[in-house]
Amino acid sequence: MIKIIGITDENKVDTDIAINNANFAQYKWFWVDFNEPTAEEVKHLTDTFHFHPLAVEDCVQTLQRPKLDYYDDYTFYVTHKISETADEVIKEELDSFVGDNFIVTFHLSASKEVDQIRNRLLYCKNIEEWDSYYILYEILDKIVDNYFPLINKIEDELLEIEDVIQNDSTDDVIDHLFDIRHRLLLFRQTVNPMRDLLYRMLNSRHLGGIKSRREYFSDIHDNLLKVTELITSNREVTTDMRDSYLSMVSHQSNNLMKTLTIMTSIFSPLTLISGIYGMNFKHMAILQWEYGYYAVMGLMLIIGVLMYLWIKRKD
């Protein structure tokens, strides 16, 4: 689906625009959103807007590294957003072509960030303050803001795991920790390139639209720095918790082995005695004695008690 919004010179919002017969020259600026486009709709990137084939190729080939490319009258941005389903965390790509009087967004899956900004634009009362670069700022701001709830959720999970480790160690704790570390790695692989992208945007000499709103994009960069710090600290926490859990499991195993060793040490001489008198030789000491059985059992009891006292004394 292709959604188009045109802003006239009188700051009127026009949404009744068809891509096939659109006259974009009549608008002060316009926004075209390619939302889960078909193969036929993708062709408009080259046929209608005449974007560079390499940029169009980057749009179709998913999960390019976040970047910006300069062209004659527009700049191409590749950004990454993160969404969460019931089963997994998904990294998705959102591409933007931004010029002085237009912005074209492209995403192969639905984007709640784009939908939110679109609704804000349709019902805002200060439309004169908006332009193509302000749309870009709002989209990037929403993308970065949506990182925080996912990080906060991970922190809550870590607190729950810490309680489990302190109260009752379970076998699935380590699996849960590795799952969290995997998600944090995905966040880091997403956030770090986005942070570098914002840094490059802020220090570019070619992007006048960003220079005029430098404080806005600087705020996004600051938020990305915060997310990076949260990811790093949470990974350190998972490392500490993993080491603590493994140490606890090792300590429990050592205690179990200690108990088994003590039992083996006590019963080894008793097994030796019972093994000797289990042999089938005809002539053996006290074998024919009336009280031989009781004597051997008493000897085994005395040896067992002495072994226990000796082990206890050695702690």
Side-chain angles (χ1 to χ4, degrees):
M1 182 182 298
I2 300 178
K3 302 177 182 179
I4 304 176
I5 297 178
I7 309 300
T8 65
D9 292 332
E10 295 78 21
N11 292 321
K12 302 296 183 181
V13 179
D14 185 6
T15 59
D16 189 18
I17 307 172
I19 188 70
N20 293 320
N21 55 6
N23 180 16
F24 294 113
Q26 63 179 321
Y27 298 107
K28 183 171 66 173
W29 63 274
F30 60 91
W31 176 13
V32 181
D33 179 44
F34 286 77
N35 179 24
E36 301 179 275
T38 63
E40 290 297 323
E41 291 173 336
V42 172
K43 293 181 180 179
H44 285 288
L45 293 176
T46 53
D47 297 342
T48 303
F49 298 104
H50 309 291
F51 293 140
H52 197 282
L54 291 178
V56 176
E57 182 180 354
D58 286 341
C59 290
V60 178
Q61 295 180 352
T62 58
L63 291 184
Q64 300 290 321
R65 182 177 176 85
K67 64 176 183 177
L68 67 87
D69 292 329
Y70 302 107
Y71 294 95
D72 291 338
D73 56 350
Y74 64 90
T75 308
F76 174 62
Y77 300 87
V78 176
T79 58
H80 285 175
K81 60 191 185 74
I82 296 178
S83 59
E84 188 176 33
T85 64
D87 300 325
E88 59 181 345
V89 175
I90 302 174
K91 179 167 63 175
E92 298 171 326
E93 183 177 320
L94 195 156
D95 305 311
S96 303
F97 301 84
V98 184
D100 292 335
N101 65 332
F102 71 90
I103 177 171
V104 176
T105 52
F106 184 97
H107 44 100
L108 295 175
S109 58
S111 173
K112 62 180 181 181
E113 294 86 357
V114 171
D115 292 339
Q116 290 172 352
I117 303 306
R118 176 182 171 85
N119 291 332
R120 282 191 56 192
L121 176 61
L122 291 176
Y123 298 102
C124 75
K125 297 181 180 179
N126 54 342
I127 194 68
E128 65 279 357
E129 298 179 3
W130 291 60
D131 60 14
S132 56
Y133 278 96
Y134 190 74
I135 295 289
L136 177 65
Y137 157 73
E138 288 286 351
I139 292 175
L140 291 176
D141 188 52
K142 285 295 181 183
I143 288 176
V144 175
D145 285 346
N146 288 335
Y147 292 159
F148 285 98
L150 299 176
I151 297 295
N152 293 335
K153 181 180 178 181
I154 286 180
E155 291 182 339
D156 293 338
E157 292 181 25
L158 290 176
L159 289 175
E160 294 177 1
I161 292 177
E162 187 175 10
D163 294 336
V164 170
I165 291 178
Q166 291 178 352
N167 298 328
D168 182 23
S169 297
T170 57
D171 293 336
D172 60 347
V173 166
I174 195 70
D175 293 333
H176 196 178
L177 276 176
F178 277 112
D179 175 66
I180 291 177
R181 287 179 62 84
H182 173 72
R183 279 184 280 163
L184 288 172
L185 178 61
L186 177 64
F187 287 146
R188 187 173 68 179
Q189 292 173 343
T190 302
V191 172
N192 287 358
M194 287 288 289
R195 180 195 60 197
D196 296 339
L197 171 63
L198 263 296
Y199 179 83
R200 186 179 174 189
M201 290 167 61
L202 289 169
N203 292 276
S204 174
R205 300 178 180 178
H206 306 284
L207 304 176
I210 291 180
K211 286 183 179 180
S212 61
R213 290 188 170 88
R214 183 178 179 84
E215 63 277 9
Y216 290 94
F217 289 92
S218 294
D219 181 67
I220 298 177
H221 185 258
D222 291 341
N223 287 335
L224 286 170
L225 292 177
K226 294 178 184 177
V227 175
T228 302
E229 293 173 356
L230 289 173
I231 292 173
T232 301
S233 62
N234 282 319
R235 280 184 62 84
E236 292 175 354
V237 169
T238 58
T239 300
D240 293 340
M241 294 178 68
R242 180 194 61 190
D243 294 342
S244 299
Y245 176 78
L246 293 178
S247 298
M248 184 179 299
V249 171
S250 177
H251 178 69
Q252 293 173 347
S253 299
N254 289 338
N255 286 336
L256 178 60
M257 293 301 298
K258 184 188 298 183
T259 302
L260 295 175
T261 303
I262 291 172
M263 294 178 64
T264 302
S265 300
I266 293 176
F267 282 95
S268 290
L270 308 185
T271 304
L272 174 63
I273 295 175
S274 63
I276 291 175
Y277 280 93
M279 295 186 295
N280 294 321
F281 292 109
K282 184 175 181 180
H283 301 287
M284 292 183 67
I286 70 171
L287 191 61
Q288 303 298 324
W289 184 30
E290 180 180 0
Y291 302 103
Y293 170 77
Y294 301 103
V296 171
M297 293 297 294
L299 177 63
M300 293 171 66
L301 177 62
I302 292 172
I303 291 175
V305 171
L306 292 176
M307 287 291 297
Y308 170 76
L309 293 176
W310 180 78
I311 291 174
K312 185 176 182 180
R313 183 178 180 183
K314 293 294 185 179
D315 197 21

